[in-house]
Amino acid sequence: MTAEASHTPSESHEFQAEVSRLLHLMVHSVYSNKDIFLRELISNAADACEKLRWRALSEPGLIAEGARLAISITAGDGTLTIADNGIGMDRGELIANLGTIAKSGTKAFLEQIADKGENSRLIGQFGVGFYSAFMVADLVTVVSRAAGSAEAWIWRSNGLGSFEIEQADLADAPEHGTRVTLTLKDDAKTYADGFTIERIVKEYSAHVPVPIELKAGEADEKELTDGSALWAKPKSEISKDEYKDFYGTVGGQWDEPALTIHYHAEGRHDYSVLLFVPSMKPFDLFDPARKGKVKLYVRRVFISDEVELLPAWARFVRGVIDSEDLPLNLSREMLQHNPVLDAIRKAVTTRILSELGKLAETDAEAYAKVWDAFGAVIKEGLYEEPERRDDLFKVTRFKTTKSGDGWRSLGDYVKDLKENQTRIYYVLADSPERAAASPHLEGFKARDVEVLQLTDPVDAFWVRTALGFDGKPFQSVTQGASDLDQIPETEKTEKPADAERAAGVVAYLKEQLKDRVADVRASSRLAESPVCLVAPDFGPDKQFEKIMARHEGLGAASKPILEINPAHAQIAAMAKRLEAGDTAALEDAAIILLGQAKILDGEAPDDPADFARRLGRVLTAQLG
Ligand code: ADP
C-alpha cells in the first residue's frame, strides 16, 4: 500500500455564515489598503512560533533539533508563500480556525458593518485576520502540521463559500508549522515583488518578536527583521514610529496610541513594561467577558495573553509585560494565582493611573479623547476597586450643568462650590438631554449650583457606594430633602406670597394621594416646574431604582415623595381655591399633578386612561 492510498479523499466544508459575509466584504475590497493582509498573516505566523516556543519549554522534543523559530516569506511566479515553523494546526484546528470566526471583536465588527453599511476604514484599523488573504488571492492553500503530529493536512479555498480539506504528504509539509500560499489575483501580482514585500514588512511588521526572512527571485535569502524585543531596548533608542508600529503588532490595532508607557522596574520584582492606551475604541470593549489583552512574557519568551495582568477596567490597554523573575514553565494555575504577578498587576495599575493623570494635567485635549473613548470603562473601577477610588477620581471626568463641550473633574467642581454648599450633587439619567431636562435641577440652576450629569449605566452603581470626594458626600438631586435652602439664590425666583398657602396644598395633596406617595412637601428644588418626584432620604435614588427594575424585572420598589413648588402659579391657584373652600376641581388637579411629575421623569402616569380623562375634563371646563 502506498502512502497515497492511505490518504482520506478531499472533503468539502461550508464556511460559517459569518465567514462568508466577511469574505464577501474582503473580495469586494471594502478596504482599499490591501497591504494589511501580509501583516495579518505574519502576525498569525509569529503567534504560532511563540506558542510553540512556550510549549517546547515543557516538551523539548517538539522543536526539531537545531531549528530556529522564524517566518519565511517566499515570492514566486504570481504566488506568495508565508511559512512558519510554529505550532501548526491539525485537521480539526484547520476546520475550526479557518472556517469560523471565534473572535468576539471580529463578530462585533461585522455587526457594526451591518448597522452602518460602510465602515470599511475600520477593517484596516483592527485587522480581520487570516481571511484578509482573499483581498489579494483567488486561491489560498494552507499546508500545516501540528507540532508532535504524524500527519499533515491541506486546507484550500477560493473564498467562495466553501473550503477543501485533504491529507498532505509528509514529504511536502513542514516538519512542524504552517505554510500559507497565495495565488495572487491579476491586480495583486505586485505582492510577489521583493521590494513591495520588504516595504510592507518594514511598515507594519518591523517589531514582530520572531525573525522574518525573505526569499525573492534569484537573490539570496535576506533577513528583514531580527525579531528582537523592542521593550528590552533603552527608550532613547526607540523612535515614535517604532513605538507605533510595535503597538499595532502587539495590540492588533492600527490607530495612533494616545499614550505610551515604557519603563523597567527593579527592586523586589524585576520586569519591563511597554503599554499603550489606544485612541480608538476596540469593538469588543463592552464584551461581557471583559478580557484584557496585555501579553505576558518571561525573559523575552511569550507566555500567555490569557492572564489578567490588569484590572478589568483597564482592559483597553495594549502591550507587554516581561518578567525577569518568573519561571518559564508556569502552569495555567500558577498563572492565575501568582504573588509575583499580583504585585506586578498592582504596581503597573498604579503607574497607568499616574500616567493618565499626568496626561490629563499636561494635555487636557488629548486626555479628553481618552476619556471619550474609555471613560465609561474606567468608571467600572470606581465600583470594583474602592481602594483605588481616590486615584481613579483624579482621572475621572464629568459632564455637568456647567461643562459645556468640555469635561469637568471633581477637583474643578469642589473648587467652584457655592457658599454653604456641602455636597456634590448629581443627576442620573439615560442621556445628557434627559439629565439637562430634569425638573429637579431647577432649584440648583436658580442658585447656580453645578450638578454632575451621570449618564453611563455604571454611574448608578459607583455613586451609591462612593462616600464622597474631598470630604463632600455625593447627593442625588432626586433624593431626600435637599439642603438647597442654605445656599443663596442668584437668580431670584418668585417667592410664594404666603408660605402657609402652600402648607394648605401640601396637606390637601397628602390626603388625596396618600395611597400613591410616601409624602408630600414644599420644595426649594423647583423653579419652573410645579412638581417633581424624589426618593426618600435614605432610600435608593429613583433613577437607580429604574435601572434595577429594568435589569432585574422588578417593579418600582418604594413609594416616591411628591415635592411641590410653592411659587408656581398652578400651586398658587390651588391654594386660592382651597381657601375659598371650593374643592370641586381639586381632586382632578391632585391626580393630574402627580401625573405631571411622572411624565417629567419620563414615565407614564400610574393610570394613563384615568389621567387623560381628568385632563380632558379640566381642559373642557377651561375652554368651554
Ligand atoms: P486571529 O489570529 O485574530 O485569531 P485569524 O482569522 O487570523 O484570527 O486566525 C484564526 C486562528 O487560526 C488563529 O487564532 C490561530 O489559532 C489559527 N491560525 C492562523 N494562522 C495560523 C498559523 N500560521 N499557525 C497556527 N495557527 C494559525
Side-chain angles (χ1 to χ4, degrees):
M1 198 164 69
T2 66
E4 290 300 320
S6 72
H7 284 181
T8 47
S10 157
E11 247 178 46
S12 182
H13 294 256
E14 299 284 307
F15 282 119
Q16 181 194 34
E18 280 155 319
V19 176
S20 291
R21 267 204 60 219
L22 185 57
L23 284 172
H24 183 84
L25 282 168
M26 286 295 159
V27 174
H28 293 85
S29 237
V30 285
Y31 187 60
S32 56
N33 178 10
K34 297 185 178 171
D35 293 357
I36 61 157
F37 84 91
L38 189 56
R39 97 182 174 210
E40 298 293 316
L41 296 181
I42 289 175
S43 161
N44 284 345
D47 287 350
C49 290
E50 295 205 291
K51 279 184 202 157
L52 180 59
R53 182 145 58 196
W54 186 65
R55 274 262 305 273
L57 292 171
S58 49
E59 295 172 67
L62 287 182
I63 297 190
E65 197 65 33
R68 178 175 93 122
L69 296 181
I71 299 165
S72 90
I73 303 177
T74 310
D77 185 14
T79 66
L80 179 65
T81 300
I82 295 97
D84 64 72
N85 54 355
I87 192 125
M89 287 175 275
D90 61 23
R91 180 176 177 279
E93 286 166 333
L94 278 171
I95 294 171
N97 294 341
L98 308 186
T100 60
I101 293 175
K103 269 207 322 198
S104 54
T106 310
K107 277 195 179 154
F109 167 75
L110 281 171
E111 276 155 26
Q112 294 213 359
I113 285 255
D115 290 342
K116 304 245 167 75
E118 40 94 84
N119 246 336
S120 54
R121 196 172 51 85
L122 298 172
I123 288 190
Q125 301 257 304
F126 292 96
V128 285
F130 172 79
Y131 303 106
S132 57
F134 288 100
M135 290 200 295
V136 298
D138 38 29
L139 176 67
V140 177
T141 310
V142 180
V143 183
S144 195
R145 180 169 172 189
S149 164
E151 290 174 356
W153 292 87
I154 301 176
W155 178 105
R156 193 183 292 114
S157 178
N158 58 8
L160 300 174
S162 66
F163 60 90
E164 311 268 312
I165 288 278
E166 183 184 346
Q167 195 159 9
D169 270 334
L170 285 185
D172 295 336
E175 248 179 273
H176 46 76
T178 303
R179 188 165 67 218
V180 180
T181 301
L182 312 183
T183 305
L184 296 167
K185 292 184 183 184
D186 285 341
D187 63 356
K189 297 272 193 240
T190 54
Y191 291 111
D193 171 67
F195 293 109
T196 308
I197 298 167
E198 187 165 349
R199 173 184 62 76
I200 303 175
V201 171
K202 291 259 155 78
E203 185 172 348
Y204 292 108
S205 308
H207 297 287
V208 167
V210 175
I212 302 174
E213 289 149 10
L214 171 66
K215 176 102 183 79
E218 297 301 304
D220 284 340
E221 199 151 280
K222 178 175 178 186
E223 186 169 87
L224 297 183
T225 70
D226 65 2
S228 67
L230 187 74
W231 62 89
K233 287 193 190 166
K235 266 169 109 157
S236 55
E237 287 175 22
I238 305 174
S239 70
K240 203 171 163 223
D241 278 351
E242 284 179 303
Y243 274 128
K244 182 184 173 207
D245 170 60
F246 179 74
Y247 159 68
T249 295
V250 75
Q253 273 180 238
W254 298 84
D255 52 327
E256 194 79 37
L259 190 61
T260 301
I261 305 173
H262 185 193
Y263 67 98
H264 184 87
E266 274 166 6
R268 245 157 59 77
H269 303 290
D270 191 343
Y271 56 91
S272 299
V273 174
L274 177 48
L275 296 176
F276 302 89
V277 173
S279 54
M280 275 180 73
K281 263 188 216 175
F283 288 106
D284 52 359
L285 188 61
F286 291 102
D287 190 67
R290 307 203 307 154
K291 267 176 124 49
K293 298 252 166 71
V294 173
K295 296 185 173 178
L296 174 67
Y297 282 71
V298 171
R299 293 184 289 286
R300 260 69 64 211
V301 176
F302 170 74
I303 302 293
S304 174
D305 52 8
E306 305 264 312
V307 196
E308 292 305 333
L309 291 171
L310 296 175
W313 62 259
R315 60 186 174 276
F316 53 90
V317 175
R318 299 288 184 265
V320 308
I321 297 178
D322 186 357
S323 160
E324 296 291 330
D325 317 321
L326 287 169
L328 275 168
N329 55 348
L330 279 161
S331 68
R332 232 160 246 288
E333 295 69 49
M334 278 167 77
L335 283 171
Q336 293 310 333
H337 310 280
N338 187 295
V340 177
L341 284 180
D342 287 346
I344 292 178
R345 180 183 301 118
K346 252 201 180 131
V348 174
T349 305
T350 302
R351 179 67 177 249
I352 291 173
L353 273 174
S354 85
E355 296 284 339
L356 285 173
K358 255 191 247 163
L359 181 69
E361 255 170 47
T362 55
D363 189 346
E365 207 177 303
Y367 186 69
K369 284 196 192 127
V370 172
W371 188 258
D372 271 329
F374 305 115
V377 176
I378 296 174
K379 281 190 287 188
E380 292 170 12
L382 291 171
Y383 181 62
E384 290 175 344
E385 290 204 277
E387 66 284 1
R388 284 199 187 276
R389 206 174 271 149
D390 288 337
D391 289 330
L392 282 160
F393 274 147
K394 288 190 194 134
V395 301
T396 301
R397 295 293 176 268
F398 295 91
K399 286 290 170 200
T400 77
T401 46
K402 295 195 176 166
S403 62
D405 290 339
W407 292 97
R408 298 268 289 169
S409 70
L410 288 178
D412 297 334
Y413 184 102
V414 167
K415 239 189 338 222
D416 292 348
L417 286 184
K418 292 290 159 204
E419 189 187 334
N420 294 342
Q421 184 182 351
T422 55
R423 296 161 193 244
I424 297 172
Y425 293 103
Y426 66 87
V427 54
L428 283 169
D430 299 340
S431 65
E433 294 72 34
R434 266 275 171 78
S438 168
H440 303 89
L441 292 182
E442 294 166 1
F444 294 86
K445 206 162 123 207
R447 290 166 178 80
D448 197 32
V449 172
E450 183 169 18
V451 177
L452 308 178
Q453 299 171 326
L454 305 183
T455 55
D456 287 314
V458 64
D459 289 325
F461 294 88
W462 68 259
V463 79
R464 268 164 50 81
T465 50
L467 293 176
F469 175 79
D470 199 16
K472 320 280 180 299
F474 292 106
Q475 161 110 39
S476 164
V477 298
T478 69
Q479 184 169 31
S482 73
D483 55 357
L484 273 184
D485 288 338
Q486 312 296 318
I487 306 172
E489 286 194 355
T490 46
E491 247 173 66
K492 274 280 163 235
T493 49
E494 261 219 20
K495 278 284 151 218
D498 183 356
E500 279 159 38
R501 277 186 166 182
V505 177
V506 166
Y508 177 78
L509 289 175
K510 260 189 201 172
E511 180 53 31
Q512 287 295 315
L513 302 173
K514 61 177 185 278
D515 296 336
R516 306 197 189 186
V517 298
D519 196 10
V520 180
R521 63 191 179 206
S523 168
S524 50
R525 207 183 308 257
L526 297 163
E528 283 149 33
S529 303
V531 278
C532 70
L533 291 171
V534 302
D537 294 10
F538 302 105
D541 176 89
K542 272 182 55 55
Q543 194 65 26
F544 179 76
E545 278 196 338
K546 255 197 255 174
I547 290 176
M548 292 312 284
R550 217 178 297 146
H551 283 289
E552 306 189 354
L554 306 168
S558 55
K559 273 194 223 164
I561 293 170
L562 181 70
E563 287 194 350
I564 63 168
N565 176 1
H568 197 276
Q570 218 174 313
I571 304 296
M574 284 180 78
K576 239 194 209 150
R577 291 270 176 128
L578 271 175
E579 277 161 27
D582 170 13
T583 54
L586 286 185
E587 197 186 314
D588 282 344
I591 301 285
I592 290 172
L593 265 185
L594 180 59
Q596 274 178 291
K598 288 243 168 181
I599 291 170
L600 284 167
D601 261 358
E603 287 175 45
D606 291 336
D607 181 348
D610 178 57
F611 175 83
R613 208 161 33 241
R614 288 175 194 270
L615 188 62
R617 204 147 59 202
V618 171
L619 269 181
T620 312
Q622 176 74 25
L623 299 174

